Amino acid sequence: MRILFIHPNYHSGGAEIAGNWPPAWVAYLTGALKKAGFPDISFIDAMTYDIDDEALKAKIAEAKPDIIGTTAITPSIYKAERVLEMAREVCPDAVTVLGGVHATFMYKQVLPEAPWIDAIVRGEGEEIMVAFAQAVADGRWPAERATIKGIAYLDDGKVVATPAAPTIKDLDGLAPDWGILNWDKYKYIPLGVRVAIPNMARGCPFTCSFCSQWKFWRDYRIRDPKKVVDEIEALKRDHNVGFFILADEEPTINKKKFVAFCNELIDRKLDILWGINTRVTDILRDEALLPLYRKAGLIHVSLGTEAAAQLKLDLFNKETTVADNKKAIRLLREAGIVVEAQFIVGMENETAETLEETYKMAVDWKPDLANWAMYTPWPFSDLFRELGDKVEVFDYEKYNFVTPIIKPEAMERGELLDRVMNNYRRFYMKKALFSYPWQGTGQRRRYLLGCLKAFLKAGFERKFYDLGKVDYWGPQSKKKVDFHFDATRTRAVDADVEWQTTHNRKKKSAETADIMACGGGKEQMADDDDALTMMPPPLTLKERVQFSRGGPRMKT
């Protein structure tokens, strides 16, 4: 039986400016399927190779697959639907399947709008996909599809969801097949080397209203650090990978395991650079350990800080939070680690003054890199419901963190974009002239100059922040910017969204984390291996910092 996986050809002006990212989902699914006795698997990366529809149709027809699968995050959902529509056109007898976070929670909307999709995999895909493939191979599809846990499908026009499948308890038993990828194109521009995105854990011990990670993965599980380093060592040896970013939302949450991971990298002398996203509170907690992290090869830390609009509403204790952010950035720089500050902009209460405040923060805090991301609530998050009619754009292709989904009350979207670009221009002009060329020697300096190269390349090609697509050329064009929102796309009714999830730990409905802009909370996990019973105290809605994000967030 032939299985064909396809990564949809979706592009935005965010993380792509740093290079082409290898789609880890196909490596993990391929490894599970081959282990289960399905060796005939092929893969088309339509995104990395920018394959148009006609060329993709030809490749699908040539493959003659029995199963055709793709995945989608929210902004790529329409491209993924189109992939399977084309698959149905050229291979009408093949079974089509869609996975990923958007379809997991929005399947009641996706299936009716794309009835050519035979099944949606809901949640963690490895074990569900194996059961699905076995049913097709045995001739039990579609007659016995109701017996497969964790899928959804149409039955005479009615959406049917089977009971949720259990989560994978033994993450160390997973064996991703990274050989399914053609590694020539997966380059990290700042260093000019191949890049990979392995993960150390799945899920998160916090249950934040804006986030989908804990809802999708359901329970927090972490791998044996030695197994993770085994995988990284194989990626370097077999595929010449020279840089990696941990896919985890917050890999430092479990301090004990993260330290063990760093020590293992040091002991094996892998000599590989890497980056992470993490929280200010974890950096402050680990101040004495930062030299160890740098010795292990950690070169880039992306820190979630905050939005000035949130500060103006006293959603943070400004006197302490701002000081903490500034200190964390200083500690990282002193340890020889490149630090990136993330700012969330475009909230409903955003003003010209709050945007200027984020620029002043960036100048004062002195991060090496700064990123201004548009406030984007996932349509299946609790936050989306809480925002109510403040969300007026339902064209999910624009939910990419560079398009203003929420219109601020005090400005037009074009002005918002212009002021964000003004922040970028001023920040990086100063860095290019007065900082990067003089930032010491060795790896840190080369890395910063490589980041500058990535920015300049994206700007010259007009891919940065999707500026070419929206026709932004500077302040003079701000009133003519066109974000090309598809007004025919409408909001899913609440009944068609899977708001709840089957979670494997007790949780009071009112509980939420005290959110930093990078996710997680101010609370820390205990040093024991699981520590999953620890939950943060309940907070009021006003105390939550509400924003959304996607990954990877290493937007250098």
Side-chain angles (χ1 to χ4, degrees):
M1 185 175 71
R2 296 189 183 95
I3 299 173
L4 172 64
F5 288 126
I6 303 170
H7 197 72
N9 188 12
Y10 174 79
H11 298 271
S12 72
E16 287 181 76
I17 71 170
N20 294 318
W21 306 93
W25 68 272
V26 72
Y28 280 87
L29 290 183
T30 298
L33 286 163
K34 287 187 175 181
K35 187 177 179 180
F38 296 98
D40 196 349
I41 302 173
S42 55
F43 174 56
I44 301 171
D45 190 344
M47 177 181 177
T48 298
Y49 288 88
D50 199 18
I51 300 172
D52 63 30
D53 286 359
E54 291 306 312
L56 183 57
K57 284 183 182 180
K59 289 179 178 292
I60 294 172
E62 182 182 0
K64 297 183 174 65
D66 300 292
I67 295 176
I68 304 171
T70 189
T71 189
I73 55 175
T74 293
S76 66
I77 184 61
Y78 306 137
K79 296 293 186 183
E81 291 175 357
R82 177 60 182 147
V83 163
L84 296 183
E85 184 179 25
M86 291 186 289
R88 178 53 42 87
E89 292 170 4
V90 298
C91 294
D93 295 328
V95 183
T96 57
V97 58
L98 171 67
V101 64
H102 186 90
T104 291
F105 298 111
M106 306 291 287
Y107 62 87
K108 292 180 183 178
Q109 182 184 46
V110 172
L111 286 169
E113 72 184 14
W116 50 84
I117 297 174
D118 291 315
I120 283 176
V121 170
R122 294 159 35 234
E124 207 166 15
E126 289 90 351
E127 293 180 351
I128 300 172
M129 193 64 204
V130 167
F132 177 82
Q134 287 173 338
V136 174
D138 295 344
R140 295 183 286 109
W141 182 272
E144 299 181 25
R145 57 188 173 176
T147 65
I148 304 172
K149 291 183 177 181
I151 67 169
Y153 53 87
L154 285 175
D155 187 2
D156 290 332
K158 180 182 178 181
V159 176
V160 177
T162 64
T167 55
I168 298 170
K169 304 307 178 187
D170 180 20
L171 291 186
D172 291 327
L174 296 176
D177 181 4
W178 292 104
I180 192 72
L181 304 177
N182 182 347
W183 284 91
D184 291 343
K185 285 273 190 176
Y186 302 122
K187 292 288 182 67
Y188 188 60
I189 294 173
L191 293 175
V193 298
R194 292 182 181 180
V195 60
I197 315 175
N199 74 301
M200 190 160 69
R202 288 185 176 179
C204 180
F206 304 111
T207 53
C208 307
S209 67
F210 61 80
C211 188
S212 64
Q213 288 298 309
W214 69 270
K215 294 180 76 172
F216 183 81
W217 299 111
R218 294 161 54 195
D219 55 349
Y220 178 68
R221 292 147 291 151
I222 188 164
R223 299 169 63 189
D224 179 347
K226 290 185 178 181
K227 297 288 186 181
V228 183
V229 178
D230 285 344
E231 185 175 340
I232 292 166
E233 188 171 24
L235 283 165
K236 180 177 181 180
R237 179 188 65 241
D238 300 338
H239 305 293
N240 199 28
V241 168
F243 182 78
F244 70 87
I245 292 174
L246 287 177
D248 307 39
E249 288 294 292
E250 318 295 344
T252 56
I253 284 178
N254 191 312
K255 176 180 175 181
K256 180 179 179 180
K257 290 291 182 72
F258 189 74
V259 170
F261 170 74
C262 291
N263 282 323
E264 191 69 21
L265 285 170
I266 293 170
D267 291 345
R268 297 199 200 183
K269 297 181 175 61
L270 288 187
D271 191 27
I272 187 170
L273 296 177
W274 49 288
I276 61 171
N277 308 296
T278 195
R279 312 179 303 165
V280 167
T281 48
D282 285 7
I283 296 302
L284 298 179
R285 177 199 69 191
D286 297 347
E287 177 178 353
L289 290 167
L290 295 181
L292 172 73
Y293 298 166
R294 180 65 190 91
K295 184 178 179 181
L298 180 60
I299 189 68
H300 187 150
V301 170
S302 181
L303 282 180
T305 48
E306 61 227 16
Q310 295 161 338
L311 286 168
K312 198 167 185 178
L313 287 180
D314 293 325
L315 291 175
F316 283 89
N317 178 341
K318 184 171 182 177
E319 288 74 19
T320 56
T321 302
V322 170
D324 286 348
N325 292 337
K326 187 173 182 178
K327 180 179 179 182
I329 289 169
R330 175 178 60 80
L331 291 174
L332 286 165
R333 294 180 72 234
E334 288 174 353
I337 298 171
V338 171
V339 57
E340 174 184 6
Q342 298 276 351
F343 295 99
I344 305 302
V345 297
M347 298 175 71
E348 67 273 14
N349 61 313
E350 196 77 76
T351 65
E353 290 76 18
T354 59
L355 287 166
E356 181 66 18
E357 183 67 18
T358 62
Y359 173 72
K360 291 179 179 178
M361 288 178 189
V363 172
D364 180 51
W365 297 350
K366 297 181 176 62
D368 298 297
L369 306 163
N371 179 62
W372 284 267
M374 292 291 180
Y375 181 59
T376 307
W378 295 127
F380 39 81
S381 66
D382 296 335
L383 169 62
F384 193 85
R385 282 193 297 180
E386 293 168 3
L387 286 171
D389 59 7
K390 290 184 176 65
V391 183
E392 57 184 9
V393 173
F394 308 106
D395 179 359
Y396 297 140
E397 189 164 344
K398 304 303 191 300
Y399 280 50
N400 51 22
F401 301 95
V402 301
T403 304
I405 300 302
I406 305 293
K407 180 191 173 301
E409 296 173 0
M411 64 174 65
E412 296 299 320
R413 287 184 171 91
E415 183 184 359
L416 170 61
L417 176 64
D418 179 59
R419 290 187 177 275
V420 168
M421 289 303 105
N422 188 40
N423 283 358
Y424 274 111
R425 283 191 293 266
R426 291 182 292 169
F427 182 84
Y428 284 101
M429 181 67 72
K430 288 183 177 180
K431 290 293 184 182
L433 294 177
F434 306 114
S435 178
Y436 293 165
W438 329 109
Q439 285 293 310
T441 59
Q443 291 178 331
R444 192 175 190 279
R445 183 185 180 194
R446 289 195 297 272
Y447 190 90
L448 288 170
L449 291 174
C451 290
L452 180 61
K453 174 185 174 182
F455 272 117
L456 293 174
K457 181 176 184 293
F460 179 77
E461 296 173 348
R462 295 190 50 72
K463 293 180 180 179
F464 179 70
Y465 236 82
D466 263 358
L467 297 182
K469 292 181 182 178
V470 303
D471 203 27
Y472 174 84
W473 292 90
Q476 72 278 6
S477 65
K478 64 183 178 183
K479 293 183 179 180
K480 299 179 181 179
V481 168
D482 186 354
F483 295 103
H484 306 287
F485 294 126
D486 184 349
T488 67
R489 302 288 182 178
T490 58
R491 183 178 186 134
V493 297
D494 280 358
D496 288 345
V497 181
E498 191 86 348
W499 301 105
Q500 302 299 322
T501 184
T502 304
H503 211 271
N504 290 355
R505 68 174 185 271
K506 294 180 180 179
K507 165 183 173 292
K508 295 179 181 179
S509 60
E511 287 177 332
T512 185
D514 185 9
I515 311 305
M516 305 298 287
C518 62
K522 291 183 178 179
E523 296 74 16
Q524 305 292 342
M525 288 186 67
D527 284 339
D528 55 297
D529 286 344
D530 47 26
L532 297 184
T533 59
M534 183 280 297
M535 291 298 299
L539 300 171
T540 64
L541 178 61
K542 184 180 178 183
E543 289 172 312
R544 303 175 194 173
V545 178
Q546 298 174 324
F547 76 99
S548 297
R549 61 194 166 91
R553 295 177 60 212
M554 205 67 69
K555 298 185 180 76
T556 50

